[in-house]
Amino acid sequence: MKLDKFKGIIPAFYACYDDLGEISEDRTKDLCNYLYEKGVKGLYVGGSSGECIYQNLEERKATLKYVSETLKGKLTLIAHVGAPSTRESRILAKYAEELGYDALSAIPPIYFKLPESSIYKYWTEIIESTELPFIIYNIPQTTGYNLSINLFKKLLDNKKVIGVKNSSMPVMDIERFKAAGGEDFIVFNGPDEQYVSGRIIGADSGIGGTYASMPELFLKAEEFVASGNFEQAGKIQRDINDIIIALCSLNGSMYSVIKEILQLRGVNVGSVRGPLEPVHGEDLNKIEGIKKLIDSAIHKYGR
């Protein structure tokens, strides 16, 4: 299959709640339209940024539905369907296929420390539940499992496996997965702090949790990398990293900070769901300063 539709800036989509903390159709669609107008390539729906582990099956299905209704055929849509049980993951996978998603993705099983045989079986049963292509999601810092090259190569025997979203911090992992996967395989850079270095060492694309807070900067970073302007790419990455550090510096969850910034940018997606902590106290006064940091960088690079 042609993989070009998976190459570009693909924000991880945020959970959108109403004022009572329930999934909001209107706010989900507002965020869809906002990101579409910014010019991103696609959306990664229902992952960590979507607070998937704090939502029940019907809530996750609702978000998948609202995004599909708004953007199917306009952007590349990847459904993250990883769930505590294989059964729930397969239900979400089949539903995403019905909605017209372009691909599936899933983290490995969480909570119990399982052998690789169980992880392989979990991913394979998800893959075989639909006809959609599949993207492995490697995020050891939250799941406790770091995808091994041996299991990676075993999964590659399945032709539906077209990519890996690699969020481990060593940049070398991206190079190793790309070397093993080959040219007809997509490696997505996961850590936003190393987007430029990840692309240079072998990543074909990027999926990130901070992209939607500053899509203009990641689109510009991709423009610099694609044109070979690595000096400017390095500079914009440093500015992005200054912003990411600021996003993580307050007393709430990074996602709650981002949601406050989005509200200042005209997109209200609500707050976060517990146990994630909203921004509170004196830190609320610092949100405007972080937004100004983003706005200044956008102005600096002319996007």
Side-chain angles (χ1 to χ4, degrees), residues 166-186:
N166 186 66
S167 293
S168 63
M169 291 309 294
V171 185
M172 181 181 174
D173 289 351
I174 287 173
E175 184 274 328
R176 289 291 82 194
F177 289 139
K178 186 61 183 178
E183 290 306 309
D184 296 325
F185 184 84
I186 298 287

Side-chain angles (χ1 to χ4, degrees), residues 26-48:
D26 289 343
R27 291 178 179 180
T28 298
K29 292 183 175 181
D30 284 348
L31 183 57
C32 284
N33 290 324
Y34 172 79
L35 293 171
Y36 175 71
E37 290 168 4
K38 292 295 181 182
V40 301
K41 188 61 174 277
L43 296 176
Y44 187 86
V45 185
S48 307

